[in-house]
């Protein structure tokens, strides 16, 4: 695959055609890491973070789990500003 580095207002950009982008499983906004090897440069996609809904996150919680020490200490702190009005 042949790529070209071009200059734009933000600096150098490597341009891919839509077909190349789709063929590589990439989309606009994806982040890549560039690595050097004895054979040249390697572009690797950075792992995408999983996204969860609030319901999925709450479902993972154990309401019977003991309160952590950090949470207990935090809940006993005295307000020092206007946290409560």
């Amino acid at each position: 695959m042949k790529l070209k580095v071009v200059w734009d207002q933000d600096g150098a950009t490597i341009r891919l055609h839509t077909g190349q982008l789709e063929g590589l499983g990439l989309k606009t906004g994806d982040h890549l890491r560039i690595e050097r090897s004895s054979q040249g440069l390697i572009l690797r996609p950075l792992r995408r973070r999983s996204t969860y809904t609030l319901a999925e996150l709450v479902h993972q919680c154990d309401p019977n789990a003991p309160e952590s020490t950090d949470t207990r200490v935090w809940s006993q702190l005295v307000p020092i500003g206007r946290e409560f009005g």
Side-chain angles (χ1 to χ4, degrees):
M1 178 181 310
K2 184 176 177 180
L3 303 174
K4 182 178 183 180
V5 178
V6 296
W7 287 98
D8 62 18
Q9 64 190 19
D10 297 321
T13 303
I14 298 173
R15 300 220 178 189
L16 295 125
H17 295 287
T18 304
Q20 293 170 320
L21 204 61
E22 291 170 354
L24 294 170
L26 298 171
K27 64 182 186 309
T28 303
D30 282 351
H31 293 263
L32 303 172
R33 179 178 52 237
I34 298 177
E35 298 175 0
R36 288 183 188 213
S37 77
S38 60
Q39 298 174 338
L41 298 176
I42 300 171
L43 296 176
R44 295 190 192 278
L46 295 177
R47 282 189 5 200
R48 294 183 181 119
R49 285 187 359 183
S50 298
T51 56
Y52 302 95
T53 65
L54 179 58
E56 290 170 328
L57 293 173
V58 170
H59 183 71
Q60 295 176 20
C61 296
D62 179 3
N64 299 317
E67 185 176 45
S68 71
T69 303
D70 289 339
T71 303
R72 190 172 37 261
V73 169
W74 176 80
S75 66
Q76 295 171 355
L77 291 174
V78 178
I80 57 171
R82 297 180 353 174
E83 292 94 337
F84 295 103

